[in-house]
Amino acid sequence: MAYEALAIALVVMCGVGTYVMFLSTLEALRATQDAYYREYRFADVFVSLKRAPESLRQRILDIPAVDRVETRVVAQIRLEMPEFAEPVTALMVSLSDSEPHGLNGLHLREGRLPVPGRADEVVVSTPFAQAHELHPGDHFHAILNGRRQALTLVGTALSPEFIQQLRPGSAFPDSKRYGVMWMGRRALGQAYDLDGAFNDLALSLRPGADAQDVIDRADELITPYGGLGAYARKDQRSHRFFSQELEQLGTLASLFPSMFMGVAAFLLNVVIGRLVAMQREQIATLKAFGYSNAAVLGHYLKLVAVIAGCGIVSGIALGVWLGQLLSGIYMEFYYFPWLKFSLQPMTVVEATIASLLAAGAGTVLAVWRAAKLQPAQAMRPEPPPHYRESRVEKLGLKRWLSQPTRMIIRHIQRKAFKSALTVLGIALACGIILTGLFQRDTVGYMLHIQYGMSQREDLSVTFTDPTAYRARFDLLGLPGIEHVEVFRTVPVRLRHGHLDYRTAIRGVEPGGDIQRLLDADLRPVDLPADGILLTDFLGKILDVRVGDRIVVEVLEGNRPLREASVAGLVKEYLGVSAYMDLAALNRFVHEGPTISGAWLGVDSAYLQPLFSQFKDMPRVAGVAERRQEIRNFNRMMDETMLFFTYVATVFAVIIAFGVVYNSARIALTERGRELASLRVLGFTRAEIGYILLGELGILTLIAIPLGLWLGEWMCYYIAHTMQNDLFRVPVVLVPQTYAFAATVVLISAAISGLAVRRRLDRLDLIAVLKTAE
Amino acid sequence: MTDQEQRVPAPRPIFEARGLTKVYQMGEVRVDALRGVDLDLQAGELVVLLGPSGSGKSTLLNILGGLDTPTSGTVRYGDHDLTVNDDAAMTHYRREHVGFVFQFYNLIPSLTARENVALVTEISDNPMTPEEALALVGLAQRMDHFPSQMSGGEQQRVAIARAVAKRPQVLLCDEPTGALDAQTGVMVLDVIARVNRELGTTTVVITHNAVIAAMADRVVYFGDGRVVRIECNAHKKAAAELQW
């Protein structure tokens, strides 16, 4: 009984462990986020604009429900980091000189804030400082508004506005090449000719305020100043990224623990059922002595409570430990000043109740069946079981089956429900492994599509402002550049009926080879001379089909309002965009031939010289190397995915072991006498081992394909819940993943089977000569 | 000895036991199950081992059947030394040479009568067919019934068919009528006697029912771990003549 109890306790432990792990992480991250936002006054509404006079501030503040307004200067800058040749960009944000407790406050990790008015002092985001091993007192240069300027790092800090720091247009964090930094408001304003003016706003609202109303009113006020449209916190990039991460975590928190609890309930049911069956006589004796059914039931419930209790206590400990590990992983990708990790009592209570309910459900029925027997009836041995020919044999396969094989098949059929549950349990184990691995496969596939088939440039260059088309030829003239494709990016709001979405239209040259748009079947799409192409997911968001007309509100320049027809949908897994022919886009926004950047095919030997040449080109806002992006991403995935793969595999092994070991042990108690009789008749250990374990072998072999299918389904479920406008996850599983899952399950099943097989050596052959069933 | 003498040995008993003792250590209690048993069993004879519970007859049967080894002494089955504690060899011995009949039949409930017999014939070298074996015990009509569909007597006859189908040299029956009423018991004994007579199988029947002794060639009386006496029946009774 000890090992069976251990197996059950382990499965309960996994269930409680995953529940506590996911929920405690979720709670920790939510609590941390809440506290951080509150303490550091994270703004509620954000606005970007071209340039507005400081006097506009009061008019914004007069909007009902607006609590505080902070005007800011925000700029994309280029940096020259000592001992790092590659291009580095940063977002420079102004800090209020007069209000030390302004919105989006900084959490200083090192040093101090810049002295007001000092144009050479900056605070740098901690991850960037760490990536470059920068400390207060270190110096580097930046290009501010086309002017090279020496900067001194006076502090490192984190901000609730940037818990996640992604370069615009990039899907993966890269603290080495992108950072956030802060400078005093006056100094930065002067650098960007925004003295007494601003180009960014952060607002906080009074409790209960209607954010949309404030956004509408603010938009009215800022439109004349080149406003790009106000947006609420829920659309703020860093916040959105993190919120969606939490949503996904919530999905996993609801999926996995319930599977473990289901398996635990099943195991308890079969083990307690068998235990009760073996103790029929004791139960009858107790009842004969006058014990009530309730007292008998109570006895077994206590036993189950002890087993489940061990699982619960160890599960909570495991869950807290794993939760801390998992939170730690999140803390590496999301930047918080601290982590508020605490185990909520409700989590413990919920996990305990769920486990006890699962355990109780598994027990009550089995015990009740035994308890309701009359004592005299219960004291007699159970009647011999009835068998009949299996369906497989009736199909005409009978003559091909040996007697031991017939025994196996008939036993499976007679205990069809229990066999089905065993299959389901093993299948779940198999499926869980797939879910732990599929993200890795999927990400590999996404990278292949994104960077192997669609974005195939070596470098991408973006300009500080829309630039004349002839810049294309300047680029082509640089040594090492073999191929140039230019693009134009225009921020827009797309509308279809009551639906709207803020994104950018990218104008690209037709017939491009570096940058290709793909259709649903991943074939390159020809760019239409007219009309607009949308990412398929954007099509869903706006509920448009090919041929529909949408309204395009251009968010820059003189902001024309136009209409365009949807010429097609393109497949993209990252982000949502719209595409047009470059010339058509320029006509569309009433501009001459201008470009925002270019994709370059580069001879790799010239990469380093090109980097330094770009540094000397003030109009170049940033340079990104795709290969580097992929490397960054793989590094990030390795860390997180390894954790999930490891946890999922270990838990799956525990489930497989729990199910197979318990099933085998029960089969051994149920059929020990039969097997011993066969030994007496001259069957070898291997032959009776086949009869005992063949059944489990068959069930495992049925379970594995089922489990792979179930796992795929779980992957689809997870992928579906992860679908959002930042990224869509296709379900891709490579053959090796299936093979790995199947192998892990087979090996765990084999080991647990062999553990029971060893007991066959200790069968008492003499006892069976004498004892009745 | 000359080569000639080695090749044509004098007729020897099928079982030769000399000075057999068996001691079980049950916790702190020492139980002497056999205290020096000498016994020869001849090929083809039907021997009844008779004695009260704990007299050592089952222990001897277990040793003869290759299920247990003696603490001291020797026991040979033809050329086989049965004192060797080698599981593979003993399994092979049981498989090739011994048929067992249990008190509680020990049929496989998931297999029909025919399949229970086939279970053994599938792993034997020169078996009779399951149908022949079941016909021998008078169950030709019930071959496709499952154990749960048969009476105790029928189940025991299936068990006998299963034991003899591989044409063993030895048939060991441990209280074969112990779980049956007298009438059914007689029927089962009749089958055992027939197998002994028609197939020439050396048959050992354990019982504490003295009436059964009358059908044996020889009766070995056990008491307190020893052979108390051996009697030969000048006139064996047919099973049908037995009553209890």
Side-chain angles (χ1 to χ4, degrees):
Chain A
M1 182 71 196
Y3 286 110
E4 290 94 313
L6 177 68
I8 294 168
L10 282 177
V11 174
V12 172
M13 179 185 82
C14 290
V16 173
T18 43
Y19 188 75
V20 170
M21 170 182 81
F22 281 126
L23 274 195
S24 63
T25 304
L26 203 56
E27 284 158 2
L29 295 177
R30 277 199 186 125
T32 303
Q33 184 192 29
D34 283 350
Y36 189 25
Y37 282 2
R38 199 173 47 248
E39 285 184 39
Y40 288 87
R41 305 164 300 280
F42 183 41
D44 296 307
V45 172
F46 301 82
V47 189
S48 296
L49 53 144
K50 189 85 182 164
R51 178 197 170 95
E54 191 63 31
S55 56
L56 188 64
R57 179 180 182 279
Q58 188 55 48
R59 289 170 65 195
I60 302 271
L61 193 57
D62 289 342
I63 296 174
V66 170
D67 185 34
R68 297 173 70 172
V69 175
E70 193 161 320
T71 62
R72 309 192 294 184
V73 175
V74 174
Q76 290 285 346
I77 62 166
R78 261 171 54 198
L79 300 177
E80 291 171 14
M81 302 311 296
E83 292 166 32
F84 190 73
E86 291 177 42
V88 180
T89 54
L91 186 73
M92 181 71 97
V93 181
S94 69
L95 278 177
S96 170
D97 293 326
S98 54
E99 171 57 84
H101 298 291
L103 297 176
N104 305 322
L106 294 191
H107 172 86
L108 267 181
R109 299 299 289 258
E110 263 185 304
R112 57 169 174 83
L113 294 178
V115 172
R118 289 287 296 261
D120 60 341
E121 291 188 352
V122 286
V123 169
V124 167
S125 62
T126 306
F128 183 81
Q130 282 169 346
H132 287 276
E133 294 178 26
L134 295 174
H135 299 285
D138 288 346
H139 307 281
F140 52 90
H141 284 87
I143 312 294
L144 294 178
N145 203 15
R147 286 186 291 268
R148 190 162 182 273
Q149 188 169 336
L151 297 177
T152 303
L153 190 154
V154 295
T156 72
L158 295 173
S159 158
E161 199 180 352
F162 301 103
I163 52 178
Q164 189 254 18
Q165 299 180 4
L166 282 187
R167 177 175 40 208
S170 172
F172 325 119
D174 183 355
S175 300
K176 200 95 176 152
R177 291 167 188 79
Y178 181 77
V180 179
M181 43 194 68
W182 294 268
M183 187 187 266
R185 166 74 201 282
R186 187 148 41 97
L188 189 59
Q190 280 164 353
Y192 278 85
D193 306 323
L194 287 166
D195 213 5
F198 62 92
N199 68 359
D200 193 274
L201 278 171
L203 318 180
S204 69
L205 305 181
R206 296 208 179 90
D210 176 4
Q212 192 52 49
D213 181 57
V214 173
I215 286 169
D216 291 343
R217 288 165 186 258
D219 271 344
E220 254 171 57
L221 290 173
I222 61 167
T223 299
Y225 301 98
L228 293 180
Y231 54 94
R233 182 191 279 187
K234 68 176 173 48
D235 291 321
Q236 198 260 354
R237 194 168 153 85
S238 146
H239 175 81
R240 257 172 63 84
F241 236 95
F242 190 67
S243 304
Q244 294 192 336
E245 189 80 61
L246 292 185
E247 260 176 51
Q248 287 157 19
L249 198 58
T251 304
L252 300 179
S254 64
L255 181 65
F256 285 99
S258 45
M259 290 194 303
F260 283 105
M261 288 305 170
V263 173
F266 156 63
L267 288 180
L268 275 165
N269 186 298
V270 291
V271 170
I272 297 298
R274 187 59 206 159
L275 187 71
V276 168
M278 286 192 311
Q279 297 191 350
R280 275 163 62 101
E281 288 181 43
Q282 285 96 312
I283 293 174
T285 311
L286 286 175
K287 285 186 66 179
F289 287 159
Y291 281 84
S292 67
N293 287 348
V296 172
L297 183 61
H299 165 75
Y300 285 99
L301 283 178
K302 267 183 242 164
L303 176 74
V304 168
V306 169
I307 297 173
C310 292
I312 291 168
V313 171
S314 52
I316 289 170
L318 177 75
V320 168
W321 180 63
L322 288 177
Q324 282 166 340
L325 283 184
L326 184 57
S327 308
I329 288 176
Y330 278 104
M331 294 295 281
E332 282 185 32
F333 301 110
Y334 295 97
Y335 309 116
F336 288 103
W338 64 79
L339 177 70
K340 274 177 98 94
F341 192 90
S342 69
L343 186 58
Q344 297 297 309
M346 263 324 277
T347 306
V348 174
V349 170
E350 280 163 11
T352 306
I353 290 176
S355 311
L356 290 178
L357 279 181
T363 311
V364 171
L365 204 65
V367 175
W368 197 250
R369 214 176 294 141
K372 73 174 189 226
L373 284 178
Q374 292 303 314
Q377 191 187 349
M379 278 189 202
R380 282 195 295 273
E382 279 187 87
H386 297 286
Y387 281 88
R388 54 174 201 273
E389 265 188 20
S390 63
R391 291 194 188 102
V392 178
E393 295 168 74
K394 284 179 184 158
L395 290 173
L397 296 176
K398 185 169 167 181
R399 62 200 170 107
W400 306 106
L401 304 175
S402 68
Q403 309 309 322
T405 307
R406 291 181 201 186
M407 289 170 69
I408 291 170
I409 295 174
R410 287 174 193 175
H411 197 254
I412 291 176
Q413 179 173 306
R414 182 165 178 274
K415 306 242 167 177
F417 184 65
K418 203 158 87 181
S419 302
L421 287 179
T422 303
V423 166
L424 187 65
I426 302 171
L428 273 179
C430 196
I432 286 172
I433 301 178
L434 276 197
T435 60
L437 289 172
F438 104 95
Q439 306 193 35
R440 179 187 295 255
D441 290 359
T442 291
V443 164
Y445 175 80
M446 286 166 75
L447 286 185
H448 169 68
I449 301 301
Q450 194 78 15
Y451 295 124
M453 296 179 70
S454 184
Q455 289 174 259
R456 311 187 317 151
E457 79 279 8
D458 298 312
L459 290 182
S460 65
V461 175
T462 46
F463 301 128
T464 48
D465 293 295
T467 300
Y469 186 80
R470 66 171 179 278
R472 178 184 206 280
F473 305 105
D474 298 342
L475 287 170
L476 259 178
L478 295 175
I481 293 185
E482 296 167 342
H483 194 89
V484 176
E485 284 176 20
V486 293
F487 60 85
R488 170 82 166 95
T489 307
V490 177
V492 292
R493 179 180 283 139
L494 302 178
R495 281 215 185 94
H496 179 245
H498 65 285
L499 301 166
D500 73 289
Y501 191 81
R502 263 174 68 121
T503 179
I505 300 180
R506 186 155 272 193
V508 296
E509 293 180 291
D513 186 51
I514 292 185
Q515 177 80 21
R516 299 191 304 192
L517 299 172
L518 306 172
D519 67 10
D521 300 320
L522 302 177
R523 284 182 309 235
V525 176
D526 285 333
L527 201 62
D530 224 0
I532 191 165
L533 294 174
L534 303 181
T535 305
D536 50 1
F537 195 74
L538 181 54
K540 265 190 216 168
I541 293 175
L542 295 175
D543 190 25
V544 294
R545 264 160 289 279
V546 175
D548 286 352
R549 292 190 74 76
I550 55 173
V551 177
V552 181
E553 184 187 341
V554 177
L555 296 177
E556 67 167 33
N558 46 15
R559 307 181 56 136
L561 196 64
R562 305 289 305 267
E563 264 199 14
S565 81
V566 178
L569 299 174
V570 295
K571 183 91 208 156
E572 283 184 319
Y573 293 118
L574 300 175
V576 289
S577 295
Y579 297 91
M580 286 179 81
D581 177 89
L582 176 62
L585 178 64
N586 277 325
R587 281 196 305 276
F588 195 76
V589 294
H590 305 303
E591 281 180 17
T594 52
I595 56 177
S596 314
W599 296 298
L600 310 176
V602 173
D603 179 345
S604 56
Y606 287 88
L607 268 180
Q608 294 306 322
L610 275 175
F611 286 148
S612 48
Q613 272 185 298
F614 286 134
K615 278 186 184 173
D616 298 333
M617 302 171 112
R619 289 194 74 83
V620 171
V623 179
E625 187 191 355
R626 283 301 170 198
R627 217 163 307 153
Q628 189 57 47
E629 292 236 309
I630 299 173
R631 271 198 294 273
N632 291 336
F633 187 65
N634 281 335
R635 203 167 35 237
M636 173 179 105
M637 291 310 276
D638 278 349
E639 285 178 41
T640 43
M641 292 302 126
L642 205 63
F643 177 81
F644 280 111
T645 304
Y646 188 69
V647 169
T649 306
V650 168
F651 283 9
V653 165
I654 289 175
I655 287 195
F657 176 79
V659 171
V660 175
Y661 181 80
N662 269 312
S663 303
R665 274 299 280 127
I666 285 159
L668 184 62
T669 19
E670 282 177 349
R671 307 176 73 180
R673 180 184 145 81
E674 202 172 291
L675 299 174
S677 303
L678 293 178
R679 285 282 284 138
V680 172
L681 295 179
F683 277 70
T684 62
R685 285 176 190 166
E687 284 163 344
I688 59 164
Y690 168 69
I691 295 172
L692 180 72
L693 300 179
E695 177 177 334
L696 284 164
I698 290 177
L699 296 181
T700 304
L701 291 180
I702 295 173
I704 285 174
L706 179 72
L708 296 177
W709 176 81
L710 196 68
E712 269 182 31
W713 182 85
M714 291 194 284
C715 292
Y716 275 106
Y717 176 74
I718 293 171
H720 180 75
T721 58
M722 282 186 173
Q723 211 173 152
N724 60 54
D725 49 351
L726 294 172
F727 56 88
R728 276 77 54 200
V729 184
V731 174
V732 176
L733 291 157
V734 299
Q736 290 91 317
T737 299
Y738 289 105
F740 179 78
T743 308
V744 168
V745 168
L746 268 182
I747 291 177
S748 341
I751 291 174
S752 36
L754 288 177
V756 176
R757 157 78 172 74
R758 285 180 53 220
R759 290 173 175 255
L760 286 180
D761 300 345
R762 300 207 292 270
L763 277 182
D764 188 347
L765 305 190
I766 293 165
V768 302
L769 296 172
K770 285 291 174 195
T771 52
E773 177 81 51
Chain B
M1 255 194 287
T2 66
D3 285 348
Q4 189 68 29
E5 282 168 327
Q6 278 184 333
R7 253 184 262 122
V8 188
R12 265 170 43 179
I14 192 165
F15 281 109
E16 268 183 66
R18 293 291 177 271
L20 283 189
T21 68
K22 181 70 186 177
V23 180
Y24 294 108
Q25 200 66 42
M26 316 269 279
E28 291 184 8
V29 183
R30 177 189 156 104
V31 178
D32 286 283
L34 294 179
R35 299 165 186 264
V37 168
D38 298 327
L39 185 67
D40 289 346
L41 298 178
Q42 305 300 329
E45 69 174 338
L46 195 161
V47 177
V48 166
L49 305 186
L50 201 63
S53 293
S55 60
K57 55 188 193 307
S58 287
T59 305
L60 178 65
L61 189 90
N62 293 340
I63 292 171
L64 296 182
L67 296 172
D68 206 351
T69 49
T71 308
S72 69
T74 61
V75 55
R76 299 191 66 82
Y77 164 80
D79 292 335
H80 295 265
D81 179 0
L82 298 185
T83 56
V84 181
N85 194 1
D86 174 350
D87 183 72
M90 285 302 152
T91 301
H92 182 74
Y93 163 68
R94 293 196 299 271
R95 188 172 182 134
E96 295 297 316
H97 304 287
V98 188
F100 272 98
V101 175
F102 306 91
Q103 182 178 358
F104 297 103
Y105 338 129
N106 294 33
L107 295 181
I108 304 301
S110 56
L111 299 179
T112 61
R114 188 204 307 264
E115 290 165 339
N116 262 286
V117 179
L119 194 61
V120 170
T121 60
E122 275 179 1
I123 61 166
S124 307
D125 288 336
N126 179 32
M128 51 181 96
T129 64
E131 292 75 17
E132 280 177 84
L134 285 164
L136 188 69
V137 300
L139 284 175
Q141 306 306 314
R142 311 220 58 183
M143 282 196 277
D144 292 320
H145 286 68
F146 283 94
S148 61
Q149 299 167 314
M150 290 188 279
S151 69
E154 285 171 330
Q155 289 186 55
Q156 191 59 300
R157 280 148 67 198
V158 174
I160 294 168
R162 180 177 67 179
V164 302
K166 64 184 170 189
R167 304 182 200 276
Q169 279 86 354
V170 189
L171 180 63
L172 302 178
C173 311
D174 195 350
E175 299 274 10
T177 58
L180 303 172
D181 61 63
Q183 197 186 348
T184 318
V186 166
M187 211 186 302
V188 165
L189 291 173
D190 184 52
V191 171
I192 291 172
R194 205 161 102 219
V195 166
N196 172 254
R197 195 171 58 241
E198 293 179 8
L199 303 179
T201 312
T202 307
T203 305
V204 181
V205 177
I206 284 188
T207 182
H208 47 243
N209 183 350
V211 176
I212 294 173
M215 66 181 279
D217 293 309
R218 286 196 296 158
V219 185
V220 181
Y221 290 89
F222 269 78
D224 198 23
R226 292 189 179 87
V227 174
V228 180
R229 67 177 193 282
I230 299 175
E231 287 177 0
C232 292
N233 283 329
H235 300 285
K236 289 203 288 188
K237 280 190 178 174
E241 297 172 62
L242 304 179
Q243 277 189 331
W244 66 87

